[in-house]
Amino acid sequence: MPTDPRTERTRAKLRQALLEECAHRPLAEVSVTAVARRAGVGRATFYLHYATLEALAVDACADVVREAVDALHAWRGTADPAAPPPDLLAFFDRLAAEAGLYRELLSPGGGGPLGQVLHRDLRARSRAERTLVGAPAPDLFASAVAATFVGVLADWLHGLVEATPAQIARWVWRILINLHRTPLS
């Protein structure tokens, strides 16, 4: 069903306003009033589109979900464990620069509202890819890929895994390749 362009413009303004507010303070210190004012809309308009600031934050960060899913599936052919896709490297670089907001929405271990969205979308994409190529146990591997990626990502953002963006991209890539190569016997 097509989205009303006015609705999408308002949502885009609210998403951008929230990201700008979060560049100056943690999400917990941002108010609906501040976001609405920065977006040039009223509080009532905010609540027409989002039930809470957290719902807006998850929507504003949804691009990172799509980027992560696309980055992990940006290669074709035989995967080289030593060379993660450039999109995966770029993803971790971008995330490091905006880590504060993502830490608030993605708890250690991969929980939290953004973790749930990322796990769901990554699992669906991984399952579809495995099914497309006729790989065994698409549900099992899709769950394992999603849980591994989201968990490592969250722990890295929270400082539980120390690595540069390039290191974590390489490590995650190797782990996921090995996971896919695991025999089920």
Side-chain angles (χ1 to χ4, degrees):
M1 184 172 181
T3 304
D4 181 337
R6 293 170 297 174
T7 298
E8 188 46 46
R9 279 193 303 271
T10 301
R11 286 176 169 251
K13 284 184 198 177
L14 288 166
R15 288 188 301 262
Q16 184 60 38
L18 177 77
L19 294 174
E20 289 171 7
E21 286 293 321
C22 287
H24 304 293
R25 64 180 86 29
L27 179 61
E29 296 177 13
V30 173
S31 69
V32 169
T33 301
V35 170
R37 186 178 302 126
R38 187 179 285 268
V41 302
R43 283 177 55 92
T45 300
F46 173 92
Y47 287 111
L48 284 174
H49 297 279
Y50 297 100
T52 64
L53 274 173
E54 185 178 89
L56 170 59
V58 170
D59 189 34
C61 295
D63 284 343
V64 79
V65 170
R66 287 185 289 279
E67 280 182 35
V69 171
D70 290 344
L72 285 173
H73 294 90
W75 59 277
R76 291 289 177 252
T78 303
D80 179 0
D87 289 351
L88 188 60
L89 293 165
F91 166 76
F92 279 103
D93 279 336
R94 176 173 171 228
L95 207 61
E98 302 170 349
L101 178 58
Y102 296 110
R103 270 193 300 272
E104 291 187 61
L105 299 172
L106 189 63
S107 59
L114 188 59
Q116 292 170 2
V117 172
L118 182 53
H119 187 276
R120 181 197 66 220
D121 290 359
L122 184 53
R123 186 183 185 286
R125 177 75 173 269
S126 184
R127 185 187 186 293
E129 294 275 336
R130 284 191 70 84
T131 301
L132 181 67
V133 298
D139 289 322
L140 173 67
F141 281 91
S143 290
V145 164
T148 299
F149 182 79
V150 175
V152 171
L153 172 65
D155 287 356
W156 175 69
L157 283 170
H158 284 277
L160 300 173
V161 175
E162 290 188 29
T164 66
Q167 286 173 319
I168 199 70
R170 283 192 308 275
W171 294 344
V172 164
W173 183 242
R174 286 182 189 137
I175 290 168
L176 294 177
I177 287 173
N178 285 323
L179 182 62
H180 278 287
R181 291 180 179 167
T182 302
L184 292 177
S185 52

